[in-house]
Amino acid sequence: MILKHLNIDKTWSLFLDRDGVINKRLEDDYVKVLSEFEFIDGVPEAIKTFTDLFGKIVVVTNQQGIGKGVYTENDLNIIHHYLVDEIEKHQGKIDKVYFSPHLAADNHHWRKPNIGMALQAKEDFKTIDFKKSVMVGDSMSDMEFGRNAGMVTIYIHPEKITDTKIDYCFESLSEVAASLLQNA
């Protein structure tokens, strides 16, 4: 699948989920400390490709483990600092990481699929236009977040699936980057 018709350039923004997209998801657990954070193969290189193509790249991640008291905001900040530094070592850039510490039951406006994090990103970066934004995630709440904000949605899933709630499906972030490079 080629994302050719999107005509991605520096006027576009990229929204990335974290767990299951950037780093390996821990089944029935949270990435609580840095030693549990592991990049998915090819992700730093993929984000380098995205940095060359997109104007802004932000991470939007639900982190209800904070709300549950499983880990602290400081623990999360250490992980995100490492994430951003490692991406920069590969000549990539993440402009900002947004997270929601709220419990799913709270239905807080910052928690995906609600678009509070997207609205904050638009406030922080005035060039963000949701109609020229792509949301990449591995859950249906990520896809709903993207659709709720009017973005193109890319679902990361090991099997190619079709669903009216998603625009595209790829197996990995590396595969998305390869598809975008076919446009260049």
Side-chain angles (χ1 to χ4, degrees):
M1 181 179 308
I2 299 176
L3 301 172
K4 187 175 193 173
H5 72 283
L6 294 178
N7 297 317
I8 303 290
D9 62 22
K10 289 290 188 178
T11 65
W12 281 71
S13 299
L14 179 63
F15 288 73
L16 297 170
D17 177 44
R18 196 192 81 180
D19 300 328
V21 174
I22 293 174
N23 60 284
K24 293 182 180 177
R25 177 183 295 282
L26 300 180
E27 289 304 316
D28 300 319
D29 199 2
Y30 301 100
V31 175
K32 303 171 290 297
V33 293
L34 186 55
S35 62
E36 296 174 337
F37 182 91
E38 183 181 351
F39 279 104
I40 294 170
D41 290 341
V43 163
E45 297 80 8
I47 294 178
K48 183 341 183 166
T49 297
F50 300 145
T51 300
D52 294 341
L53 297 172
F54 288 87
K56 293 289 177 220
I57 300 174
V58 298
V59 173
V60 287
T61 178
N62 287 339
Q63 294 293 323
Q64 77 171 346
I66 294 172
K68 290 181 174 181
V70 176
Y71 53 95
T72 67
E73 192 170 322
N74 188 57
D75 295 328
L76 186 67
N77 288 337
I78 290 167
I79 293 166
H80 288 166
H81 184 76
Y82 171 80
L83 161 64
V84 170
D85 283 352
E86 286 301 305
I87 294 302
E88 287 177 359
K89 287 178 186 174
H90 286 83
Q91 289 78 49
K93 184 173 188 215
I94 292 176
D95 292 286
K96 193 157 184 181
V97 178
Y98 298 90
F99 68 93
S100 170
H102 308 283
L103 299 174
D106 294 341
N107 195 31
H108 192 275
H109 71 279
W110 263 61
R111 185 173 168 80
K112 294 181 288 183
N114 299 319
I115 64 169
M117 288 186 281
L119 295 173
Q120 187 61 55
K122 189 171 176 50
E123 172 91 12
D124 293 344
F125 302 104
K126 304 295 186 207
T127 58
I128 290 178
D129 174 355
F130 294 148
K131 292 192 182 325
K132 287 182 140 189
S133 293
V134 176
M135 174 63 202
V136 181
D138 70 330
S139 72
M140 279 301 146
S141 78
D142 294 326
M143 298 302 94
E144 289 175 45
F145 168 88
R147 290 183 77 77
N148 289 343
M151 300 177 192
V152 174
T153 57
I154 298 177
Y155 188 50
I156 301 296
H157 195 272
E159 300 169 11
K160 301 289 185 187
I161 64 167
T162 57
D163 187 306
T164 57
K165 295 182 182 116
I166 62 173
D167 295 311
Y168 302 96
C169 183
F170 290 91
E171 291 182 19
S172 67
L173 215 50
S174 296
E175 194 178 83
V176 174
S179 175
L180 286 170
L181 282 177
Q182 290 179 12
N183 299 334

